[in-house]
């Protein structure tokens, strides 16, 4: 197929997810990477390399990449993928409203519960669709992006996506279409509650989740979130081999039993870390407010509190100012103590 016949896809916010998705789509679509100097200048020099946990990899030289700093580069796109952190969504929504035609679908491939609503509010009449990236992408070196865990992309079902779904499938990124994206996003948020814990542990994800103290920290945060979801009438979808309501009990299990029952949850590349860890390492603000902070706000709207997640937000804010590394036992104790006395178990098990 001539390159001119390929669909034009704009990546709006070229960072880990945007660079990885764009690189994989590159041979099957005309991809425009829109981003900031920090990333775009590097890609201009080095091109993009991508790899995944199954050993697949590729490289695209700088001359073959369409790299842009200007939002107007999205004007010719047939499809826009929004891949900025949640704190940048409001600005991106305003920028897209200036440049993108109303018929062009816009997919938010972001974590958190409110990005799609923010985009929709600024882009009335546009098909703005919720998406979900289940896997982790880490920047290995300046221009190299590695998928460290598995899973298929998901997106809200919409007729405007029909021409693009085969393109993603050809690129090795099949997308599942869903009618229950709020439930999918809630389930993803439950898993993302680990981002903060992983960052505080300073361990690769697989090491962290292999150790019971860290898993128990996550179980506390998830149990609290499940209570808040139940009060708010939100039923998270099942994204893992285990249903969401069983996750905290399984995370609580001793290491050997956890390995036996939930070993699949540890099918993660040994180098993978959370994006919160990466943000702290590079001195950038994290997305904690849209993740653990979302549980705290949702709880407040239900007349509840979410002290465990509030404590995690506070610890990450502190780490943004001054990097601190925690031991699992120490964090577990701190999170337990953040709960009101009547909610704490009588004996520490
Ligand atoms: N990384 C992962 O493993 C992963 C996995 C699943 C889902 N997600 C979700 O995917 C989203 C993106 O995450 P990420 O890790 O790829 O973030 P990221 O690496 O920070 O990439 C976002 C990029 O967009 C740039 N940007 C911000 N505002 C912009 C604007 N107005 N125009 C153009 N570029 C702009 C940012 O620049 P500045 O840094 O200068 O602001 C940054 O380079 C998040 O919602 C995240 O939760 C991430």
């Amino acid at each position: 197929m001539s390159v001119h016949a390929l669909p034009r896809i704009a990546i709006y916010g070229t960072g880990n997810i945007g660079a990885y998705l764009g690189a994989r789509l590159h041979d099957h679509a005309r991809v425009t990477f829109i981003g900031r100097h920090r990333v775009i200048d590097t890609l201009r020099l080095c091109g993009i390399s991508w790899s995944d946990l199954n050993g697949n990899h590729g490289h695209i030289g700088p001359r073959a990449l369409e790299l842009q700093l200007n939002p107007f580069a999205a004007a010719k796109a047939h499809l826009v993928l929004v891949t900025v952190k949640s704190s940048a969504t409001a600005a991106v929504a305003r920028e897209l409203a200036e440049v993108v035609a109303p018929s062009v679908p816009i997919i938010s491939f972001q974590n958190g519960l409110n990005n799609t609503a923010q985009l929709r509010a600024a882009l009335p009449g546009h098909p703005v669709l919720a998406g979900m990236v289940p896997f982790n992408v880490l920047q290995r070196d300046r221009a190299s992006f590695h998928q460290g865990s598995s899973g298929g992309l998901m997106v809200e079902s919409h007729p405007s996506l029909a021409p693009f779904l085969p393109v993603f499938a050809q690129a090795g990124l099949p997308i599942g279409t869903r009618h229950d994206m709020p439930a999918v996003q809630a389930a993803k948020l439950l898993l993302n509650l680990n981002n903060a814990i992983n960052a505080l542990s300073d361990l690769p994800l697989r090491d962290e989740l292999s150790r019971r103290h860290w898993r128990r920290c996550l179980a506390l945060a998830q149990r609290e979130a499940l209570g808040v979801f139940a009060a708010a009438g939100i039923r998270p979808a099942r994204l893992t081999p285990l249903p969401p309501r069983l996750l905290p009990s399984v995370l609580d299990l001793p290491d050997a039993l956890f390995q036996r029952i939930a070993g699949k949850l540890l099918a993660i590349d040994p180098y993978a870390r959370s994006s919160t860890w990466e943000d702290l390492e590079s001195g950038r603000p994290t997305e904690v407010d849209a993740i653990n902070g979302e549980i705290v706000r949702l709880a407040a709207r239900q007349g509840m509190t979410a002290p465990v997640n509030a404590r995690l937000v506070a610890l990450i804010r502190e780490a943004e100012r001054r990097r601190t590394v925690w031991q699992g036992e120490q964090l577990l104790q701190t999170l337990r103590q953040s709960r009101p006395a009547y909610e704490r178990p009588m004996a520490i098990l």
Side-chain angles (χ1 to χ4, degrees):
M1 193 191 287
S2 130
V3 73
H4 298 289
L6 295 174
R8 287 177 174 270
I9 300 181
I11 303 288
Y12 210 97
T14 305
N16 286 9
I17 292 296
Y20 180 79
L21 295 182
R24 299 222 46 182
L25 288 164
H26 182 267
D27 288 348
H28 309 276
R30 293 182 72 182
V31 179
T32 304
F33 295 86
I34 300 163
R36 300 291 198 209
H37 271 293
R38 179 174 63 85
V39 177
I40 295 296
D41 292 354
T42 304
L43 302 188
R44 230 170 233 147
L45 210 61
C46 312
I48 300 185
S49 297
W50 66 269
S51 53
D52 69 18
L53 72 169
N54 299 318
N56 302 308
H57 58 90
H59 176 79
I60 305 155
R63 287 220 223 134
L65 295 173
E66 193 179 332
L67 301 166
Q68 297 285 346
L69 296 164
N70 192 323
F72 280 93
K76 287 188 190 153
H78 303 127
L79 172 69
V80 176
L81 310 184
V82 176
T83 54
V84 292
K85 291 261 169 61
S86 304
S87 56
T89 303
V92 163
R94 286 192 297 275
E95 289 164 14
L96 287 177
E98 296 281 310
V99 298
V100 175
S103 57
V104 171
I106 297 168
I107 304 178
S108 157
F109 272 129
Q110 302 166 276
N111 286 328
L113 302 184
N114 286 318
N115 291 299
T116 317
Q118 276 189 66
L119 290 166
R120 278 186 188 137
L123 293 151
H126 290 254
V128 175
L129 307 169
M132 196 276 285
V133 179
F135 48 75
N136 164 280
V137 175
L138 195 71
Q139 191 170 358
R140 275 242 171 116
D141 62 43
R142 278 165 23 108
S144 159
F145 299 88
H146 179 72
Q147 177 185 334
S149 54
S150 55
L153 299 172
M154 291 180 193
V155 72
E156 193 173 337
S157 186
H158 193 274
S160 65
L161 292 181
F164 305 106
L165 297 177
V167 174
F168 278 79
Q170 284 155 18
L173 294 170
I175 308 193
T177 53
R178 310 272 304 208
H179 294 281
D180 62 346
M181 280 308 287
V184 167
Q185 289 177 316
K188 182 70 195 305
L189 191 71
L190 272 184
L191 304 177
N192 286 138
L193 297 179
N194 187 49
N195 289 7
I197 297 166
N198 176 256
L200 295 170
S201 78
D202 197 28
L203 292 169
L205 281 161
R206 199 162 83 181
D207 285 0
E208 176 226 327
L209 290 170
S210 301
R211 302 182 197 182
R212 191 182 189 200
H213 281 129
W214 294 113
R215 287 198 309 276
R216 297 189 102 175
C217 294
L218 177 57
L220 282 178
Q222 287 192 345
R223 216 170 254 128
E224 183 176 88
L226 284 164
V228 173
F229 283 165
I234 297 170
R235 291 188 61 177
R238 182 171 174 164
L239 299 182
T240 57
L242 294 164
R245 74 192 149 75
L246 292 187
L247 281 173
S249 308
V250 172
L251 290 167
D252 270 343
L253 292 172
D255 290 339
L257 210 52
F258 177 79
Q259 290 272 3
R260 204 158 351 121
I261 292 181
K264 273 191 182 168
L265 295 179
L266 296 178
I268 313 169
D269 183 287
Y271 303 104
R273 310 230 187 192
S274 74
S275 58
T276 306
W277 175 86
E278 200 177 5
D279 287 335
L280 288 184
E281 284 295 297
S282 42
R284 295 195 298 262
T286 70
E287 221 179 8
V288 71
D289 194 51
I291 299 179
N292 306 80
E294 185 60 53
I295 301 299
V296 177
R297 282 190 299 277
L298 199 54
R301 288 204 289 277
Q302 305 309 313
M304 301 166 74
T305 59
V308 171
N309 283 288
R311 188 87 185 101
L312 285 167
V313 173
L315 293 176
I316 292 293
R317 290 275 174 257
E318 213 172 287
E320 285 172 349
R321 289 188 295 274
R322 193 173 60 90
R323 190 79 173 94
T324 34
V325 175
W326 288 69
Q327 299 304 313
E329 203 167 353
Q330 183 196 14
L331 182 65
L332 183 59
Q333 201 177 359
T334 298
L335 296 182
R336 278 177 167 157
Q337 281 168 356
S338 69
R339 297 181 305 167
Y342 61 84
E343 278 188 17
R344 291 185 217 148
M346 293 295 283
I348 305 277
L349 298 174

